Amino acid sequence: MLNLFNVRRLSWGSSTDGQEKVELSVTELESLRSELAYLEEREAYLKAQLEHVDEILRSARFSGYLYIRTRWTALPGEPPPLDDTDVDDWLPRFVVLNGPCIFFYLLSTDFSPQDSTLLADIVEVGSLPSFTRENDKTWYSSYILTRQGLRYECSSLSEVQVDSWLKVLQADIKLDSETEVPSWFQ
């Protein structure tokens, strides 16, 4: 954009009252107008993203980036899942606990989540053993198990962050004997 106002690119003239003025061709003027329209649209989009993030952070009870991977529990008659501890399929997600749901966003600026689960569908949360990943750093992890058999595994370099999520979820989820758990979990 600043290149448009380059002295070599624009013709400068002087008016009769002693002030300098810029002379633009029709093509240059249309190019400037379309560039300004694009910048105004981009600004509106970025403002909307910022307002959305602000709204999420104000209304969320808990939020932050975690590395997530998902696994399905084996159904009756299926062979047990393969040991996939060597598979590095952890993906960063912005996780938000808001109302009765946990939302999984690709980025904190996304307008809609990629996945979500109701707190009422969660049957178990707990810690997983820590593990070593890239650069020999220790990662701390936990899991969330739903009544449909979907297991979210969450990890972070911060043990405090993982423990905080666990404490918040354990406090929010009432895992009493009245909770209906499918027979294949027992």
Side-chain angles (χ1 to χ4, degrees):
M1 180 75 178
L2 293 176
N3 289 336
L4 291 175
F5 297 108
N6 188 328
V7 175
R8 285 177 275 136
R9 218 171 144 188
L10 298 176
S11 336
W12 292 86
S14 55
S15 65
T16 55
D17 60 4
Q19 293 183 349
E20 291 185 6
K21 64 179 182 177
V22 176
E23 296 173 10
L24 297 174
S25 68
V26 173
T27 308
E28 290 172 325
L29 184 60
E30 288 303 315
S31 175
L32 278 175
R33 285 184 180 154
S34 68
E35 193 68 28
L36 284 173
Y38 167 76
L39 291 173
E40 287 172 352
E41 286 177 20
R42 181 78 177 141
E43 179 187 24
Y45 177 76
L46 292 173
K47 280 183 180 179
Q49 275 188 317
L50 183 61
E51 289 171 7
H52 179 69
V53 169
D54 185 53
E55 181 183 327
I56 285 175
L57 294 176
R58 287 178 188 267
S59 64
R61 290 185 289 160
F62 212 68
S63 63
Y65 275 97
L66 291 171
Y67 280 78
I68 304 290
R69 69 180 187 175
T70 55
R71 299 290 183 262
W72 286 98
T73 305
L75 294 171
E78 286 186 336
L82 298 173
D83 180 21
D84 60 358
T85 53
D86 292 337
V87 177
D88 187 8
D89 57 350
W90 296 95
L91 300 171
R93 295 290 180 260
F94 187 70
V95 185
V96 176
L97 175 61
N98 190 1
C101 285
I102 299 175
F103 298 98
F104 299 91
Y105 293 86
L106 182 62
L107 299 169
S108 61
T109 55
D110 288 351
F111 286 112
S112 57
Q114 288 199 326
D115 196 8
S116 65
T117 191
L118 290 169
L119 292 177
D121 286 341
I122 296 174
V123 294
E124 187 179 337
V125 293
S127 295
L128 290 172
S130 59
F131 59 93
T132 303
R133 252 178 91 183
E134 56 206 43
N135 300 332
D136 293 329
K137 293 182 180 178
T138 302
W139 288 75
Y140 303 93
S141 57
S142 62
Y143 69 92
I144 302 167
L145 184 63
T146 67
R147 70 178 68 246
Q148 293 84 11
L150 182 60
R151 177 179 163 129
Y152 294 97
E153 295 180 358
C154 312
S155 70
S156 173
L157 284 169
S158 169
E159 185 176 14
V160 172
Q161 185 182 21
V162 171
D163 288 345
S164 297
W165 272 99
L166 269 175
K167 288 177 185 171
V168 167
L169 289 175
Q170 287 169 341
D172 281 358
I173 299 166
K174 309 293 184 258
L175 297 176
D176 54 21
S177 59
E178 297 171 10
T179 304
E180 208 175 295
V181 178
S183 60
W184 44 276
F185 274 133
Q186 300 170 359

